[in-house]
Amino acid sequence: MTELEIRKAIIENCLKMNATGLNQGTSGNLSARYKDVMIITPSGIAYEALKPSDLATMPINKDYGSWDGPLKPSTEWRFHLDIMIERPDVGGIVHTHSTYATILSIAGKEIPACHYMIAAFGGPTIRCADYATFGTEELSANALNALKDRTGCILANHGMIATGANIAKAMWLAVELETIAKQYYQSLLIGGPNLLSDAEIANVMERFKGYGLQDKKSANSNAKPKTRAKAPAKTKAAGKTSAAGKPKVAAKRKAPSKARTQTKARTQTKARTRKQA
């Protein structure tokens, strides 16, 4: 994707997460990797008012904390940037204050293996990072610990983080995280979940390889190309053929009948006689 396409995708997903209830107001923030910089939503501006040029850029591996753009980056830029630095596999990050993930974060609860879809996050749990003030180095360090060998986590008394190879995949996982959080919360109301074993989650993780939101190109990469059947070679016929398969021969002109010949001779004789007379 071009830089402009990535900027547009970030804004589209900001609008999507608010429209679907995954986030409220401007409390969430999104970022995406583009070459050697991180593109991130600015601080305190309504998503509906965002233009691609409003998003800030921050270098990933130099001049830590510096940024470029008309608006300053999100106050949570630190854990976005630190994740990008520590995890080269991450190309997109979604942070929201989604309702059910935040409820669990307020209770300081991690999500156990209540559903096999938890395997999409890299293990049998979605961890809850220890609490720290927003935007601080401490919060960033806590988030990195909770994300070790995981693609998502909960932030105590705060919200959640989901990561992916690009912004679309990060958003897909954010929706999955909130869904599992809701399912787990509601299962607690009826006596608690029946948890799956670590061995089963490991089995699901193996089966999940290649599962999830796919790019169109990769989704079709294993499909065999369709080949058109070759039409039989045409043979050049000596001439047109009849239904029986025999060549048509031009019909011979019929010889004039005997009666027509005699009549024509008498007419010519009379004409000569009149001329002589």
Side-chain angles (χ1 to χ4, degrees), residues 93-116:
I93 299 171
V94 172
H95 167 56
T96 81
H97 296 176
S98 58
T99 301
Y100 286 92
T102 302
I103 288 172
L104 295 179
S105 84
I106 291 169
K109 288 183 176 293
E110 70 175 15
I111 305 176
C114 57
H115 193 286
Y116 74 82

Side-chain angles (χ1 to χ4, degrees), residues 31-258:
S31 68
R33 187 189 299 269
Y34 176 69
K35 296 182 178 179
D36 58 352
V37 300
M38 177 180 75
I39 303 171
I40 187 168
T41 49
S43 180
I45 180 169
Y47 300 140
E48 293 80 4
L50 279 178
K51 299 188 296 293
S53 59
D54 291 333
L55 276 58
T57 58
M58 304 185 76
I60 294 174
N61 290 309
K62 64 178 182 178
D63 302 327
Y64 185 83
S66 64
W67 59 276
D68 184 43
L71 300 168
K72 65 181 180 180
S74 165
T75 54
E76 299 289 17
W77 65 264
R78 191 180 297 275
F79 70 64
H80 282 266
L81 186 59
D82 288 347
I83 292 170
M84 292 279 185
I85 293 170
E86 294 294 323
R87 297 278 296 273
D89 58 304
V90 171
I93 299 171
V94 172
H95 167 56
T96 81
H97 296 176
S98 58
T99 301
Y100 286 92
T102 302
I103 288 172
L104 295 179
S105 84
I106 291 169
K109 288 183 176 293
E110 70 175 15
I111 305 176
C114 57
H115 193 286
Y116 74 82
M117 277 303 296
I118 205 165
F121 293 87
T125 59
I126 296 174
R127 302 187 187 105
C128 182
D130 292 338
Y131 178 78
T133 306
F134 75 93
T136 60
E137 290 182 38
E138 186 182 3
L139 176 61
S140 184
N142 293 347
L144 284 172
N145 285 334
L147 284 170
K148 186 178 180 182
D149 61 39
R150 295 288 193 275
T151 55
C153 73
I154 293 171
L155 303 175
N157 305 89
H158 189 154
M160 60 98 141
I161 297 173
T163 69
N166 52 49
I167 196 65
K169 292 182 180 180
M171 181 59 72
W172 176 78
L173 272 177
V175 172
E176 291 295 333
L177 199 161
E178 175 65 1
T179 300
I180 295 174
K182 182 177 181 179
Q183 293 165 344
Y184 177 52
Y185 169 82
Q186 294 189 340
S187 75
L188 293 173
L189 303 179
I190 55 172
N194 176 36
L195 299 181
L196 300 172
S197 67
D198 288 356
E200 175 55 17
I201 296 302
N203 176 48
V204 175
M205 286 174 63
E206 183 63 29
R207 295 173 68 88
F208 265 10
K209 288 180 178 177
Y211 177 81
L213 187 68
Q214 298 185 53
D215 299 322
K216 288 183 178 180
K217 186 176 180 181
S218 62
N220 297 325
S221 61
N222 294 324
K224 292 182 179 179
K226 293 182 179 180
T227 55
R228 293 180 63 183
K230 289 185 178 180
K234 293 182 179 180
T235 54
K236 200 168 184 179
K240 293 182 179 179
T241 57
S242 66
K246 294 181 180 180
K248 289 183 178 180
V249 180
K252 292 182 180 179
R253 182 177 293 176
K254 292 182 179 180
S257 65
K258 188 175 180 181

